[in-house]
Amino acid sequence: MESSPLISAGLPIALFIIMIGIGMTLTVRDFRQVAVYPKGMIVGTVAQILIMPLIAFMLATLLAVPPAIAVGLVIIAACPGGTTSNLFVLLARGNIALSIVLTVSASLITILTLPLFTNLALQHYMGTEENIVLPVWKTVGMLIGIVLFPVAIGMTVRTRKPEVARKAESIVSIFGGVVLALLIVALVYGVRDQIWELLKQAGPATILLNVAGILLGLLAGRVAGLTQRESLAVAVELGVKNGTIALMVTLTLLESSAMSIPAAVYGVLMFPIGFILAMYGRSIIPDTKVQIH
């Protein structure tokens, strides 16, 4: 499943703009709090890197999905949160600084862990093993270009032009919501001829994986004593995955369209489910506009 030009070209540009806007809602103090109280970062990273792939193994076994689908399910589960997870956390009024830290840390750690879980799945379900290598510098460059750099621009604007930052906050939320809605439409339209077949093959397993990730984030946050905003950030990071990496592994490195099916289905389904989570967050967390000190 190849992405349309709208997604491959338009999405990075839109995300860059959105991340500048997200940066306008943040201060250095927000990141310092994540560093001083790292419980949310530790809980989120362990759940993302270790527990999610184990849940995928369990679901694939319980649902007795075909071997290729099982491998694809483990691969998407082992992927880090995508940059769009930061936008969902903004919409859900979660802890955006924690979300950004989790996106970056999980993306860097999965350079090592994703090949490991992929090979375990190939051995377990297919009886084979591949030497999977992820492009380290491409991943690091993407994180800097689409996450860290625009957030730094936004934070600089907030420091120097606080009035602009205050006015931009609601505009970013609206723009982000529109981008996500357009993305859902584009993804569904792109697989319109195969959507029912894809859902039949991998729908139940991927939906359960997505919901399990969100519930795991909320539950782990509560058990660990995290705030509602931190728990929401962890839940979104576990539910909104970087499907692009999963498609790259399955289509480019493993050259298997069958293994790419869970990533394709997950990539479509995680957006409406993420919207529901964002609405839940907005219903339980009061609106706090940018405070200028």
Side-chain angles (χ1 to χ4, degrees):
M1 187 191 82
E2 292 186 6
S3 61
S4 68
L6 173 66
I7 295 172
S8 59
L11 184 58
I13 296 169
L15 281 175
F16 187 90
I17 296 168
I18 289 165
M19 294 308 290
I20 290 175
I22 287 174
M24 289 184 195
T25 71
L26 295 167
T27 64
V28 174
R29 188 178 63 182
D30 295 321
F31 288 99
R32 194 182 297 129
Q33 261 190 302
V34 173
V36 173
Y37 304 102
K39 196 189 292 183
M41 182 176 67
I42 294 166
V43 168
T45 302
V46 170
Q48 178 83 280
I49 299 303
L50 187 61
I51 301 176
M52 286 300 289
L54 296 178
I55 290 174
F57 273 107
M58 184 182 71
L59 287 173
T61 303
L62 287 175
L63 299 175
V65 297
I69 300 293
V71 173
L73 193 70
V74 172
I75 289 172
I76 186 65
C79 284
T83 47
T84 43
S85 64
N86 308 136
L87 171 56
F88 272 114
V89 172
L90 174 73
L91 295 176
R93 295 178 183 154
N95 188 316
I96 303 165
L98 176 59
S99 174
I100 291 170
V101 169
L102 285 174
T103 295
V104 173
S105 65
S107 296
L108 294 175
I109 295 169
T110 49
I111 291 170
L112 299 174
T113 57
L114 180 54
L116 174 67
F117 280 112
T118 300
N119 283 322
L120 281 174
L122 285 166
Q123 277 184 309
H124 186 70
Y125 296 110
M126 312 284 288
T128 60
E129 188 174 352
E130 298 271 344
N131 186 23
I132 305 297
V133 180
L134 293 181
V136 176
W137 295 113
K138 184 178 178 183
T139 304
V140 172
M142 183 187 73
L143 286 170
I144 292 171
I146 298 185
V147 179
L148 300 181
F149 182 57
V151 165
I153 293 174
M155 290 175 69
T156 303
V157 171
R158 170 164 175 167
T159 302
R160 297 186 178 179
K161 303 277 186 181
E163 289 300 321
V164 173
R166 186 188 287 122
K167 290 174 183 174
E169 189 174 3
S170 57
I171 297 170
V172 170
S173 290
I174 294 167
F175 178 65
V178 171
V179 168
L180 287 175
L182 289 173
L183 188 58
I184 294 170
V185 172
L187 285 167
V188 171
Y189 183 78
V191 295
R192 63 193 180 284
D193 298 330
Q194 318 152 262
I195 192 160
W196 296 118
E197 187 59 32
L198 290 172
L199 286 173
K200 193 167 70 178
Q201 289 184 54
T206 50
I207 289 173
L208 285 172
L209 179 66
N210 184 268
V211 173
I214 290 169
L215 293 177
L216 171 65
L218 294 173
L219 182 63
R222 175 165 291 187
V223 170
L226 303 182
T227 65
Q228 283 185 322
R229 294 182 68 239
E230 289 172 329
S231 296
L232 267 171
V234 173
V236 172
E237 286 297 318
L238 298 185
V240 179
K241 295 284 191 180
N242 191 336
T244 307
I245 291 179
L247 290 172
M248 181 192 71
V249 171
T250 53
L251 292 175
T252 308
L253 301 178
L254 297 175
E255 297 180 350
S256 170
S257 56
M259 290 180 191
S260 74
I261 290 172
V265 174
Y266 197 101
V268 173
L269 294 177
M270 71 180 183
F271 287 98
I273 294 174
F275 257 130
I276 294 169
L277 182 60
M279 293 305 103
Y280 167 72
R282 294 178 82 84
S283 72
I284 63 169
I285 294 175
D287 184 13
T288 52
K289 293 296 181 188
V290 175
Q291 298 296 315
I292 307 302
H293 299 287

